[in-house]
Amino acid sequence: EETDMPQYKAPLRDMQFVLHELLNAEEHYAKLPAFQETVSRELVDQYLEAAADFCENELSPLNQVGDREGCTWNDGVVTTPTGFKEAYKKYIELGFPSLSAEEQYGGQGLPVSLGNVISEMVGTANWAWGMYPGLSHGAVRTLEHHGSQEQKDTYLPNLVSGVWTGTMCLTESHAGSDLGIIRTKAEPNADGSYAITGEKIFISAGEHDMADNIVHIVLARLPGAPKGTKGISLFIVPKFSVNADGSLGERNAVRCGSIEHKMGIHGNSTCVINFDNAQGFLIGPENRGLNCMFTFMNTARIGTAIQGLSASEGAFQGALAYAKDRLAMRALSGPKAPEKEADPIIVHPAVRNMLLTQKSFAEAGRALVYLLSLHADTVEQGATEEERKASDNILSLLTPIAKAFLTETGSESAKHGVQVFGGHGFISEHGMEQIVRDTRISCLYEGTTEIQALDLLGRKVLGTQGAMLKDFTKIIHKFAEANKDNEAMKEFVEPLAALNKEWGDLTMQIGMRAMQNPEEVGAAAVDYLYFSGYVTLAYLWARMALTAQEALAAGTTEVDFYNAKVTTARFYFKKILPRVRSHVEVIAGGLEPLMSLDAEHFAF
């Protein structure tokens, strides 16, 4: 049936701008031994076009179907919405699941960064669908890094091809993000396997009808293990056991007890999974489960940052089309479309503000996600230990910023999408309120904004005595220095340089206060994260403005494209970046106003 829902168009030109012009991805790949022979700009663009075609024509039309129908649970069996299964089959045929996996297990051995660019398209077209193949990546990475040879041979080929999917079974109902207090237990069996018993909740894609087998990666405790995070081990628990010849054996004692009724992402099954003496196999060393998990934590968090980027892009596409078309009122300076009964709403400054906010978050968010993805390539494939370490430091600092800031701004962009549509935005058929509901979870899972903020300020910045922050502020400083005499860049470079210095000063202030009372870190963390996010995006907008100005100076034929980059950068600096001032003021307010009211006096 026809709806007014915006159909997704992949922003290929912008993706190519970020990859090829801003970040010089081809040079980046040429520096990594694994890719220097194989990965060219041409290859990247071919993959992007194939993915765009799939996302626009197969996934986007199913987005609303998935929201409306949701998944159904019947006696442990989960059925996905109409068309999901068929689209997944096509996705496997096109070879997308195996993109960045190791070649010896049937992977294509291509960069993680290319996979992430494709994930952006999949996610904007249909986030709920994209979670089914998306969650397998964590399972594949965990096995690649920590599995025994036998485990790799048994599970990787089918996980890599996408014929099987994988999940990560971490949290439990009483634990949330505090994995140190999980209770699922693992008892050794005589044959070297383990009997896993317990209940895991919020397992996305934990049960479905799209794949022949589901391989669960499960955190559990061995008998007598130390308390807390130091006593948790990691296990492989397949839905169907796998015979020596690779065929599927009997059903394991793993069962989906129910699926959650959620605010959004209805097309994805979020499962309660019960393990009742299920057969599992230890991955990695005993009691080192959380360490093994952290291998792909950064990758998973970049995956969630992509959801924020997707929300900004999707909401922007819908709102822009509507704002050009919808007639309401006249411009204050006189009619702009005198032949029509009213002006299109894109003439109004308030509507412009919402659209440009979405655009500036989407385009800088894309730059940030792709930048991190290239660093992730280097961490995995860098030629020297030194390069790998440098990228790992940048990744460690910027990942919590990308995860939390891009999802919060994605949520804001989605809200603007509804607002631009007015009353029509509140009605389901236009698809704008779905983006609001689907994206709200991104601020929660993989660690809430507040937890990311503590990770950033407490662990990454203060925990390294500011060294990790300096690694990045040094990069911004060099950029500002290199361009300080460029007249056309003054409006960007001067405010950026000042904020870059303030970032260090602000950190010192909080650090001094935290020495008196560690709770000061918690009081400042979220505002500190927002400050960091706005400055990081300002740096990327300044770089994009420079790249665009250079293209214009070189006599490009795409004058409008590059001019739009410079004007959007200007909008960001003048209309979005001043938000940092309120965060600085709030940080100055300190801990006391938060703690002086006793908990029992909150309400009477």
Side-chain angles (χ1 to χ4, degrees):
E1 69 194 84
E2 278 303 298
T3 67
D4 298 325
M5 176 155 185
Q7 288 305 310
Y8 173 65
K9 282 300 289 169
L12 286 173
R13 180 65 190 89
D14 205 62
M15 295 172 147
Q16 288 161 339
F17 169 77
V18 174
L19 277 175
H20 303 315
E21 298 169 60
L22 181 73
L23 300 176
N24 300 320
E26 199 171 32
E27 272 173 49
H28 155 81
Y29 296 135
K31 283 206 289 263
L32 303 176
F35 309 129
Q36 58 202 157
E37 300 300 314
T38 47
V39 185
S40 63
R41 178 169 177 163
E42 223 167 15
L43 177 98
V44 169
D45 289 347
Q46 278 170 341
Y47 271 95
L48 296 194
E49 275 158 34
D53 180 57
F54 176 76
C55 294
E56 291 168 2
N57 298 309
E58 303 288 332
L59 293 188
S60 179
L62 295 175
N63 193 33
Q64 227 172 358
V65 175
D67 185 55
R68 228 182 8 247
E69 288 182 20
C71 293
T72 49
W73 179 92
N74 185 2
D75 195 22
V77 177
V78 173
T79 309
T80 52
T82 308
F84 270 43
K85 215 165 143 169
E86 292 71 19
Y88 186 64
K89 198 165 176 268
K90 198 163 245 179
Y91 189 73
I92 294 176
E93 282 162 14
L94 290 167
F96 288 124
S98 63
L99 199 72
S100 59
E102 294 175 11
E103 289 173 83
Q104 66 196 86
Y105 302 107
Q108 297 169 54
L110 289 169
V112 171
S113 53
L114 181 56
N116 282 351
V117 176
I118 292 172
S119 294
E120 184 210 322
M121 292 189 228
V122 169
T124 316
N126 192 330
W127 186 266
W129 184 92
M131 288 172 75
Y132 291 101
L135 288 157
S136 297
H137 293 301
V140 168
R141 284 275 174 268
T142 305
L143 282 160
E144 282 179 347
H145 285 278
H146 303 288
S148 66
Q149 196 51 56
E150 188 193 358
Q151 289 169 344
K152 291 179 186 183
D153 294 340
T154 305
Y155 298 102
L156 280 176
N158 285 319
L159 279 172
V160 163
S161 69
V163 176
W164 299 349
T165 60
T167 74
M168 308 299 305
C169 296
L170 315 182
T171 197
E172 299 173 14
S173 58
H174 63 281
S177 291
D178 186 356
L179 297 173
I181 59 176
I182 62 162
R183 296 175 191 146
T184 297
K185 57 181 210 281
E187 301 277 347
N189 292 326
D191 64 359
S193 69
Y194 292 81
I196 312 288
T197 302
E199 181 176 87
K200 296 288 181 179
I201 62 156
F202 298 161
I203 308 307
S204 305
E207 180 56 49
H208 56 79
D209 55 359
M210 282 160 56
D212 302 337
N213 199 6
I214 301 175
V215 180
H216 301 289
I217 307 282
V218 184
L219 284 182
R221 282 185 183 287
L222 291 164
K227 279 206 175 330
T229 51
K230 293 193 167 51
I232 294 174
S233 302
L234 199 57
F235 299 87
I236 306 171
V237 185
K239 176 179 167 179
F240 287 95
S241 60
V242 183
N243 298 321
D245 64 358
S247 64
L248 292 182
E250 59 199 65
R251 182 81 159 77
N252 205 349
V254 180
R255 200 179 139 81
C256 173
S258 61
I259 55 176
E260 304 295 351
H261 300 279
K262 308 184 296 267
M263 177 176 175
I265 54 168
H266 294 155
N268 197 272
S269 54
T270 301
C271 303
V272 173
I273 305 259
N274 297 306
F275 300 91
D276 186 10
N277 282 322
Q279 188 181 35
F281 306 91
L282 182 70
I283 310 185
E286 292 187 2
N287 301 331
R288 301 283 290 169
L290 275 189
N291 304 66
C292 295
M293 298 273 310
F294 278 109
T295 326
F296 68 90
M297 274 302 190
N298 275 346
T299 340
R301 285 175 180 165
I302 295 173
T304 307
I306 291 173
Q307 189 173 9
L309 157 56
S310 293
S312 286
E313 177 64 43
F316 172 61
Q317 288 193 15
L320 177 62
Y322 189 79
K324 286 176 167 173
D325 190 49
R326 171 74 170 176
L327 304 176
M329 291 168 278
R330 291 294 186 193
L332 295 179
S333 52
K336 299 288 177 266
E339 73 292 353
K340 295 180 175 157
E341 60 181 339
D343 285 335
I345 60 174
I346 196 163
V347 308
H348 306 308
V351 173
R352 289 284 179 114
N353 189 47
M354 292 188 278
L355 292 170
L356 283 162
T357 298
Q358 294 172 314
K359 180 178 169 66
S360 69
F361 285 150
E363 293 177 11
R366 179 170 296 119
L368 179 55
V369 164
Y370 293 10
L371 175 71
L372 289 188
S373 301
L374 296 187
H375 280 297
D377 288 340
T378 306
V379 169
E380 293 211 348
Q381 304 288 349
T384 66
E385 177 59 36
E386 198 184 3
E387 283 171 273
R388 293 194 293 271
K389 188 78 197 103
S391 278
D392 197 42
N393 283 349
I394 294 288
L395 206 55
S396 296
L397 177 82
L398 292 182
T399 297
I401 297 176
K403 193 284 182 188
F405 189 74
L406 294 188
T407 59
E408 292 288 353
T409 53
S411 209
E412 181 189 329
S413 296
K415 183 198 74 165
H416 293 317
V418 168
Q419 195 74 4
V420 168
F421 274 71
H424 294 281
F426 198 68
I427 290 168
S428 304
E429 70 191 277
H430 294 285
M432 300 311 282
E433 57 83 41
Q434 184 188 336
I435 302 175
V436 173
R437 288 181 292 104
D438 285 353
T439 201
R440 188 60 187 81
I441 181 68
S442 66
C443 306
L444 307 170
Y445 56 18
E446 288 299 334
T448 60
T449 300
E450 292 71 18
I451 283 176
Q452 301 295 337
L454 275 178
D455 177 51
L456 172 68
L457 178 56
R459 191 176 299 149
K460 308 292 169 61
V461 176
L462 298 176
T464 63
Q465 276 83 47
M468 212 174 251
L469 177 64
K470 269 202 197 80
D471 286 344
F472 185 57
T473 53
K474 212 179 288 167
I475 292 171
I476 299 179
H477 178 72
K478 277 187 185 148
F479 172 81
E481 279 298 296
N483 293 287
K484 67 167 191 265
D485 301 327
N486 178 344
E487 219 20 70
M489 283 296 291
K490 240 187 181 61
E491 60 177 313
F492 305 121
V493 167
E494 284 180 358
L496 178 63
L499 281 169
N500 193 44
K501 183 182 178 308
E502 187 174 7
W503 199 352
D505 299 342
L506 194 61
T507 304
M508 287 278 290
Q509 275 168 37
I510 299 168
M512 299 300 279
R513 271 198 271 172
M515 282 156 120
Q516 315 296 248
N517 184 347
E519 296 283 1
E520 291 281 0
V521 177
V526 174
D527 288 281
Y528 183 85
L529 186 137
Y530 274 106
F531 178 94
S532 306
Y534 287 119
V535 177
T536 301
L537 261 55
Y539 161 65
L540 291 165
W541 267 119
R543 276 186 60 181
M544 288 193 278
L546 180 65
T547 304
Q549 286 171 354
E550 286 169 348
L552 288 163
T556 174
T557 52
E558 296 176 282
V559 174
D560 291 341
F561 176 80
Y562 292 109
N563 272 334
K565 279 279 173 261
V566 179
T567 48
T568 308
R570 194 167 292 141
F571 164 83
Y572 182 84
F573 270 78
K574 291 262 186 282
K575 292 292 196 179
I576 300 289
L577 193 55
R579 295 180 185 189
V580 294
R581 302 289 19 116
S582 68
H583 294 293
V584 170
E585 289 284 314
V586 173
I587 290 170
L591 176 70
E592 199 272 336
L594 301 175
M595 293 312 194
S596 51
L597 185 60
D598 283 342
E600 40 281 10
H601 298 152
F602 264 56
F604 289 96

